[in-house]
Amino acid sequence: MSLLIKNGTIVTAYDEFKGDILVKDGKIVSIGEKLDSMAEEVIDAEGKFVMPGGVDQHVHFSFDFKGEKVRGFETSNAAAVGGTTTVVEFVNQEKGKGLIDTIDNYRKSEVEGVAMVDYAFHGIITDTSTGVFDEIEKLPEAGYPTVKLFMAYKGMPFHSDDAALAKALQKAKDVGVTIMVHAENADLIDMLQKDCIEEGNYQPYYHAVSRPPMVEVEATERAINIAKAMGAPLYIVHVSTKGAIDAIVRAQSQGLSIYGETCTHYFLLGKENLAKENFEGAKYVCSPALREQDDRDYLWKSVKNGWLNAVSSDHCGFDWKHQKHMGEKDFRNIPNGAPGMENRLGMLWTYGVETGKITRSEFVNLVSTTPARNIGLDYCKGHIGIGYDADIILYDPKQKSIVSNENSLQGVDYNSYEGMEQIGKVDKVLLRGELIVDDGKYIGKKGQGKFIKGKPYGLSYKRF
Amino acid sequence: MSLLIKNGTIVTAYDEFKGDILVKDGKIVSIGEKLDSMAEEVIDAEGKFVMPGGVDQHVHFSFDFKGEKVRGFETSNAAAVGGTTTVVEFVNQEKGKGLIDTIDNYRKSEVEGVAMVDYAFHGIITDTSTGVFDEIEKLPEAGYPTVKLFMAYKGMPFHSDDAALAKALQKAKDVGVTIMVHAENADLIDMLQKDCIEEGNYQPYYHAVSRPPMVEVEATERAINIAKAMGAPLYIVHVSTKGAIDAIVRAQSQGLSIYGETCTHYFLLGKENLAKENFEGAKYVCSPALREQDDRDYLWKSVKNGWLNAVSSDHCGFDWKHQKHMGEKDFRNIPNGAPGMENRLGMLWTYGVETGKITRSEFVNLVSTTPARNIGLDYCKGHIGIGYDADIILYDPKQKSIVSNENSLQGVDYNSYEGMEQIGKVDKVLLRGELIVDDGKYIGKKGQGKFIKGKPYGLSYKRF
Amino acid sequence: MSLLIKNGTIVTAYDEFKGDILVKDGKIVSIGEKLDSMAEEVIDAEGKFVMPGGVDQHVHFSFDFKGEKVRGFETSNAAAVGGTTTVVEFVNQEKGKGLIDTIDNYRKSEVEGVAMVDYAFHGIITDTSTGVFDEIEKLPEAGYPTVKLFMAYKGMPFHSDDAALAKALQKAKDVGVTIMVHAENADLIDMLQKDCIEEGNYQPYYHAVSRPPMVEVEATERAINIAKAMGAPLYIVHVSTKGAIDAIVRAQSQGLSIYGETCTHYFLLGKENLAKENFEGAKYVCSPALREQDDRDYLWKSVKNGWLNAVSSDHCGFDWKHQKHMGEKDFRNIPNGAPGMENRLGMLWTYGVETGKITRSEFVNLVSTTPARNIGLDYCKGHIGIGYDADIILYDPKQKSIVSNENSLQGVDYNSYEGMEQIGKVDKVLLRGELIVDDGKYIGKKGQGKFIKGKPYGLSYKRF
Amino acid sequence: MSLLIKNGTIVTAYDEFKGDILVKDGKIVSIGEKLDSMAEEVIDAEGKFVMPGGVDQHVHFSFDFKGEKVRGFETSNAAAVGGTTTVVEFVNQEKGKGLIDTIDNYRKSEVEGVAMVDYAFHGIITDTSTGVFDEIEKLPEAGYPTVKLFMAYKGMPFHSDDAALAKALQKAKDVGVTIMVHAENADLIDMLQKDCIEEGNYQPYYHAVSRPPMVEVEATERAINIAKAMGAPLYIVHVSTKGAIDAIVRAQSQGLSIYGETCTHYFLLGKENLAKENFEGAKYVCSPALREQDDRDYLWKSVKNGWLNAVSSDHCGFDWKHQKHMGEKDFRNIPNGAPGMENRLGMLWTYGVETGKITRSEFVNLVSTTPARNIGLDYCKGHIGIGYDADIILYDPKQKSIVSNENSLQGVDYNSYEGMEQIGKVDKVLLRGELIVDDGKYIGKKGQGKFIKGKPYGLSYKRF
């Protein structure tokens, strides 16, 4: 089957030009002009920006917070309509099991036949008794070459201490596995949370009070120190604050392979949201916590300058009425996380590209090209180039809308960006050459998504 | 006329893939597979790396040092056989004349009808009495949107003081003109030179002694301070030493638009070359001076990390027998500069790519893609992409040779890299779709090169 | 009783001059010339340097390592003959008891009637279940206004986590209590120790291998981050490595009240000592571990520049034959710590003053004046000034000797500096006006030492 | 003759205590208690702070700005009533003459027999044709071991370029001469001044506009770079802005001997003063220019932390009616400089000590002890210690007054601090044991001041 996407303005991370894209058997085979004769079908992209499908390198379809589970891959069509064609899911190691077993099992039982976009996986170390550090060398072959550790969440099974982080880095560097961290100081948060509760401050707002920027800054600096000592690259997830960015920039200025992402909500939402009345603040409880305006301004500077290299959603689908309300009397029991996979591209386009904070090429780079590279999927994802998977979106810049949860596919009872204006809209989405979104509506099939193996980073090669 | 370059491995600054390139009327119109039917001619690139032609953003075909002139554009076929298809010439403002007049005049009288590769120009401010600062706003329209000032060379007509630099930056930023500087402290060099001469140290080696790294570091920091105060971007040419790189990195870490290049010889040649007997050392007299090994190692790190964004040749064709010998009794009279346009790609490939210090994509980025962007030529040069000029080289990685001046086209009686091994070779070169080098031999015509207008950087746009 | 010390060269932290000192009732009452008529007794100090008695702000007379105890205050005459007239003892909080109770009890049962020099105390937090953080506000009144926490020693009862450190800092700042830390990353040491043991590396040398500089650097940076967040001053004990000093200097450059000491052995002994055969290396097992030469060189620079403000002994009297041998098969069981109170002044004079690395005034400042200030004893100790305690030493710069354990009073079967040359010697020592050392021999009485209350630092006052 | 100062609270840079001071033949011979029997005369200092007389290391009694001269040593009793007993005068090298000749000549013809406080001299290099760099080695013997260069004032005879600064540093370091700089970028000021005038902005306020902080920051960084390259200590005079302080702190953090002072007016007066109507702004024209509030706040931090080590007056007695009015139509012709020697101690006490920003000991250190050390006068000046000159002030902390020019001895028609409140007052002043100020009135004799030779800094000794 061959298909021509015609007359669009193609935007890659590097350039922007008028041209046509010829797709065959799900791959991009030619780019240029006068390719009509080779195509059986034609999509007209006149007036649209034609970009690689989004790669959301940080989503949660299986996260469990104190017994409560998020919405799963059955909602992944929300990613599709948002312009994302590949998601990377974080999977917590099961107690007593290996990472590969855990992910294989989860993949077969809950993802295959369900996912509506392509997918890959990160493992999360939770049980060091299983020989998990020795298992790291087997991850590349299994196609899961990225592992996260949580420095935060004292007392939770998925919390890791510095020794675990160091050991993981030590083992990972020899085989091209990328270690990621959630960098917040668990001890300090625990102390500050107890202080809040003791003083009778149990409301959602105190989630932010008990997780001030310094707990992130300290842990980020510590993680970098450890990575440096181990001689290993490190990836910091969901960076939210100036001090942490500065620590990353300092490390990069020394030539260290230290990288980080931020997430949509850290640009657009703030600490003040947690103060909303009637427990509405609980909708905005995520970790790290939402920040003040100066941090948000600095985030724009950090993505413009390449100090952070990707924007993910950190999508986490807990509902408000039941799940968030677990913490009505104690913010520590509010499940952490907020939905967002559906809004990532639209929000970043509207408040980044349309305001002139970033260019269209930078947008593509942040939501698709570099994420694919971070995860080792750049051999087939994240770029409009010869040989790449035909994961392509047509973005119509002329449409305007207001974000509302009414038509959302995320399966949650609220939307973090409710009521905000959006400029432009994902009009069409192709997944490996097949149209899965048309006129903004999902038209694909359950289970159409495929597992994509991540490749390890090359040893003599600066990955990101 | 249409032409297909077939079966090669295409290397861009961003990716690398097998594919064919369809060229029509001097432009790249399609990239992909099965494009044969559209082409009238075919070049087989099997086994070759197909890359954008080099852009050498820093050459001297008109430089005059105390009355002695370098070889001119009649030697620009040397660039071609070296894989460079665009050169950017620095033109000194004539006394009493404007920059545009000077360049227009030079272009018409000495370049048009002579140049064998495409070309653009930078102006150099030498006479502030002409209202040259007010002229800056007219440069974009003339297509010369880059201006250099010399902080070095006390007492020379082309020396500029800090006020001139500040004024130029102030005027330039509003119209998207990029200011470049040669950053060395003129006063200190003058003092150190006199010290050397007074102590009877007149040999070429003392050129390096009297221009220690600190004179470059100081001037670089000063230039950055001034650019920061004026709120303007700044480009530092031929950065050669760690301290200057660190100053640039610190500026970038603050989000300032401060960029720099280095040159081939700073990687590969060192201070010890200036100590060669029988006045051989004079061949290596250039400014900044060649450095010690630790600086050279740091340069590799700096291009790998993107701290410096381009590698130019700073080509300067003075011969040794007559011109360099002017300074036989006083190193201050040795014309500064060394030839190198012919060797830039070969040397960087051999000692950068083949040793694993940089990747092929990074190579392309450093010698072609980013230079084109720096100069405002990226709308047509520096990339293998749809709509770009078909400036394309086929690099054969299997050939090995020894650098010798014997077959050089540079028109100078020595080669800085004489006797060094080269891996790979430029086999074919296309200039806007026409074959000008075949089997390593220049087959083009005098005057085939065209003037390419530089475009100013966009004001809301981080250029580089 | 009145006494005149005549004809000496008086050295204070600030100046140096010929003059006489009149002592009355244990206090310095006048300094100057022609004071003979006022004195009943005269000591001739001709040819001697007359300096304030040493204040050793970091000693261990009660430390217990896995059940083994160090020599106690019955050996404190060793401090006296070494020129130290005040020691500050670290006392571990007893399980289930408060800090004040613990120290009061220890003081009465084991120090009063025994000590041969004056003394003060630091508390060490080991049991947070006792409301110890709330007890901090009572410490100033008890005269124990300094508290240490151990970031090192995972699994030991005296280990503290970051929450404890933060809480202690938070409580301390309001009442002028100084928090001190032993800054090493407990988790990483634990991991590295296990790695060593698993690989069969059980010898003393691997104590140093498993405690590389970075474990100190990381913990120092973390402690500073926490102190900064809490808005509290912090004192880092036994700083041994460049990275930690740099972290302190960076903090000071921001105006933060972050200070640190180093110890005699970090200047003079090195990692290579731990490699000595026949288990001799165990003599040098202390924490942080001994370092390489570059760190030692940097320590001299750091005290010359005031980056570290004191030199203590960290005296710890474990014997080698029995106690150190606990770890013959596993370095983790070697009691940490080395003797040194007797040699502190002599070694620092010999290798610091006599080599020109520091001046005599700087020497006095490092071993006496600033330590007294650090601990809140500067109202009566550490200075030759009107109203101060007449704790005075006469140092004879002409004597030369070789350090030997034979005549040591430290009560341990080895001396860390065995065989090293010493220039100059403590000839006489006065404690509150009474001669306790004469001609280098201890002539005082058991129990002659007195408890000196520390005063809290003033809140609007930069203490150190 | 012997004299006892009794019952006062003695404040030194290091401590504070009740005690008596015995003075004999102009020197302090004893300090302590019960010294009455040795004294012929007694001064009762009950309720007063007894401190070393101020050392004002930066005054101008001979400065000439475009032909206009400041008030000379005949006004130096103003220093005395202000509590300053030693002033250090900057003497511009006469054209064609050596530094020593110039100073000797000035000293004999205009200072001896006139000065009412003790004095020393700094030379200022203005004519490099005289072999002045070779003369540097003779300065210590002449007792003038400090030399200043002006980086500012383009086109003025006393302007120096970077080569002169480097050469002076090179020569000075071997003989213990301290090089000082006025650090402002002359080129940039010149350009900015011309911009102002061209735009019709000729009023005093534009003096500050054309000398923004960055011109000081840049020159400070440049001077430090040059001093570092030359391996020489450097002293930066009248530091006024955060960026320059940060540059000094960075240098100190590397262990470099880079030091600086600030002046009274930079704490207390601001850029807004220059905007005063009716040409009143001209009273505040000095260089560097007065700054904004944030710089002023940072200055307090910088003296508290020891980043700047002295506070001088930079006293410069031009009158307003005639001399300042030279620049009525062009701020460039306003003589730079403001009076202040009379107010230095009172203002710093009132706005520093009384507000709790600095302690009394820090005050003494900043106005007396360290200035004496900076200049090599600390063998006899700046301290209340045995053997020091009996330059002593009695400060009465209970008096309150309003600054007014009415009773001023400065000989100028305005006072920079007019109308500001002062707490405390200099009650008595002794100059080498003789009472020259009593009850705040000058009672000494013209010519009572003596020349005090400065000593060079020791080579193995960190001077400041």
Side-chain angles (χ1 to χ4, degrees), chain B residues 154 161-164 166-167 170 185 187-188 190-192 195 198 214 217-218 221-222 225-226 229-230 250, chain D residues 154 161-164 166-167 170 185 187-188 190-192 195 198 214 217-218 221-222 225-226 229-230 250:
Chain B
K154 186 172 187 170
D161 69 7
D162 292 353
K167 186 54 79 180
Q170 193 188 60
N185 185 305
D187 282 350
L188 293 181
D190 185 62
M191 175 197 114
L192 294 167
D195 281 0
E198 272 172 31
M214 83 72 52
V217 176
E218 188 289 312
E221 294 189 355
R222 180 156 34 110
N225 264 324
I226 296 172
M230 295 296 140
R250 272 198 305 278
Chain D
K154 186 171 186 169
D161 69 6
D162 293 351
K167 186 55 80 179
Q170 194 189 59
N185 185 305
D187 281 351
L188 293 181
D190 185 64
M191 176 197 114
L192 293 168
D195 281 0
E198 272 172 32
M214 83 72 52
V217 176
E218 188 290 311
E221 294 189 356
R222 180 156 34 109
N225 265 324
I226 295 172
M230 296 296 139
R250 274 198 304 276

Side-chain angles (χ1 to χ4, degrees), chain D residues 229-245:
Chain D
M230 296 296 139
L234 177 69
Y235 198 92
I236 323 269
V237 295
H238 48 46
V239 176
S240 74
T241 194
K242 180 176 187 305
I245 295 165

Side-chain angles (χ1 to χ4, degrees), chain D residues 262-447:
Chain D
T262 189
C263 310
T264 331
H265 41 288
Y266 294 116
F267 293 105
L268 300 180
L269 305 172
K271 198 178 168 187
E272 67 280 8
N273 290 70
L274 284 113
K276 286 197 178 172
E277 300 208 332
N278 298 323
F279 202 60
E280 294 266 339
K283 296 176 178 174
Y284 306 96
V285 166
C286 58
S287 294
L290 299 176
R291 302 294 184 204
E292 313 269 7
Q293 192 58 45
D294 54 344
D295 275 326
R296 286 180 256 165
D297 294 340
Y298 205 71
L299 281 181
W300 287 113
K301 192 171 175 180
S302 77
V303 295
K304 179 73 185 174
N305 282 286
W307 299 335
L308 301 178
N309 76 12
V311 177
S312 73
S313 71
D314 195 2
H315 175 86
C316 209
F318 288 113
D319 69 34
W320 179 67
K321 274 212 187 123
H322 301 100
Q323 294 178 312
K324 291 279 187 182
H325 273 75
M326 287 168 66
E328 214 176 346
K329 299 290 176 236
D330 185 339
F331 66 83
R332 294 176 299 181
N333 295 327
I334 301 170
N336 281 210
M341 63 175 154
E342 196 170 326
N343 309 97
R344 187 173 64 113
L345 272 65
M347 290 294 100
L348 198 67
W349 181 277
T350 305
Y351 298 97
V353 175
E354 290 287 341
T355 59
K357 290 197 178 79
I358 54 173
T359 65
R360 286 185 290 266
S361 281
E362 287 162 352
F363 169 83
V364 167
N365 200 20
L366 288 166
V367 301
S368 178
T369 308
T370 293
R373 202 171 273 193
N374 288 334
I375 309 307
L377 304 178
D378 53 329
Y379 64 96
C380 63
K381 299 292 188 190
H383 184 42
I384 291 187
I386 308 306
Y388 280 77
D389 282 357
D391 296 349
I392 295 172
I393 66 172
L394 274 62
Y395 197 84
D396 180 352
K398 289 177 299 291
Q399 299 199 39
K400 290 194 181 183
S401 55
I402 301 295
V403 176
S404 155
N405 202 49
E406 219 162 300
N407 310 308
S408 171
L409 300 176
Q410 291 182 148
V412 180
D413 61 355
Y414 74 99
N415 187 303
S416 305
Y417 309 100
E418 189 76 30
M420 291 177 69
E421 195 189 20
Q422 180 177 311
I423 299 177
K425 199 181 168 187
V426 173
D427 180 61
K428 287 187 172 51
V429 176
L430 286 104
L431 178 67
R432 282 173 280 105
E434 296 189 55
L435 198 69
I436 61 169
V437 174
D438 195 13
D439 196 18
K441 303 278 175 291
Y442 181 71
I443 60 165
K445 293 185 298 287
K446 205 175 164 186

